[in-house]
Amino acid sequence: MTTLWIRHGTSRDGITRPHAHARPDSPLSARGAAQIAATAHALRDRGVQPAIVLTSPHPRAATSAKILAALLGVPRATPNPLYAEWRAPDCVLGKGPDEYPSEYQTWRTDRLRDPDSALAGGESLTALYGRAMAAAVILGHLAGRNTALIVSHRVFIGAVAAITAGANRPQDVFEAARRFTLAPAGTWPALAEVR
């Protein structure tokens, strides 16, 4: 086991608007900090001693990484936008499904046919695929080295998981990433798989 992905703890948006697209600047909540601390203790109890903690720049992930690094006594790298969450369009940030504007509803039905399309402030499926592919390449470079922890986000981790499972089209990667489940402060591969 050389790379362990960890979803950030629950953000403030995750508490106040659990079905909404989280805003990039949503901070880690007190519940999220406790979740991450519990994950750090579980990792330590299992003998996982990472060489470094890598992280997304979003505050909920960067703060989660800071807590992990401090509790495990390891360095934390400068936050890297490569590990950021898929950028939902600006028109849906902080909004739940019942508040989505018609332009998003239309794009949402067409995005699988046109994976290069994006709405203002959002990321195309092709761009997400490119970032996830780059992260998968980094995983290959980390193989056989000391363990690294990467703190990121559910959809992005799901995209990497889809690529490592063989998905090779942006549409397939995105659909698998949307279905990917990982609890706040959860690990992929699952902590139970870490030896």
Side-chain angles (χ1 to χ4, degrees):
M1 177 66 221
T2 58
T3 304
L4 186 63
W5 291 80
I6 300 175
R7 182 181 176 190
H8 60 79
T10 300
S11 69
R12 191 168 300 147
D13 276 0
I15 291 174
T16 61
R17 304 206 29 99
H19 300 292
H21 282 280
R23 296 168 292 188
D25 61 349
S26 183
L28 189 67
S29 68
R31 179 191 309 167
Q35 292 164 334
I36 286 293
T39 297
H41 294 302
L43 290 169
R44 189 178 56 224
D45 291 349
R46 289 180 148 289
V48 176
Q49 184 58 43
I52 193 162
V53 177
L54 307 170
T55 185
S56 155
H58 296 312
R60 58 194 182 270
T63 303
S64 294
K66 184 177 181 179
I67 293 167
L68 280 165
L71 291 176
L72 295 172
V74 298
R76 178 176 47 108
T78 301
N80 187 336
L82 176 67
Y83 306 119
E85 181 60 291
W86 172 70
R87 289 188 316 275
D90 292 340
C91 64
V92 295
L93 294 178
K95 296 179 181 175
D98 57 331
E99 302 170 293
Y100 293 162
S102 61
E103 68 177 318
Y104 178 73
Q105 296 285 11
T106 300
W107 175 78
R108 193 174 180 192
T109 61
D110 294 337
R111 65 188 173 196
L112 295 180
R113 286 189 294 271
D114 184 7
D116 294 329
S117 67
L119 293 178
E123 182 176 30
S124 72
L125 306 188
T126 301
L128 172 66
Y129 175 78
R131 284 196 303 115
M133 281 296 290
V137 168
I138 289 172
L139 291 181
H141 292 301
L142 292 174
R145 298 196 174 124
N146 292 329
T147 300
L149 303 180
I150 304 175
V151 182
S152 189
H153 309 266
R154 183 187 63 82
V155 172
F156 188 73
I157 297 169
V160 174
I163 288 169
T164 61
N168 59 12
R169 294 184 332 133
Q171 302 93 318
D172 299 335
V173 167
F174 184 73
E175 286 299 294
R178 284 184 57 227
R179 291 188 305 270
F180 184 76
T181 58
L182 187 62
T187 60
W188 177 77
L191 193 54
E193 297 174 25
V194 179
R195 300 185 208 293

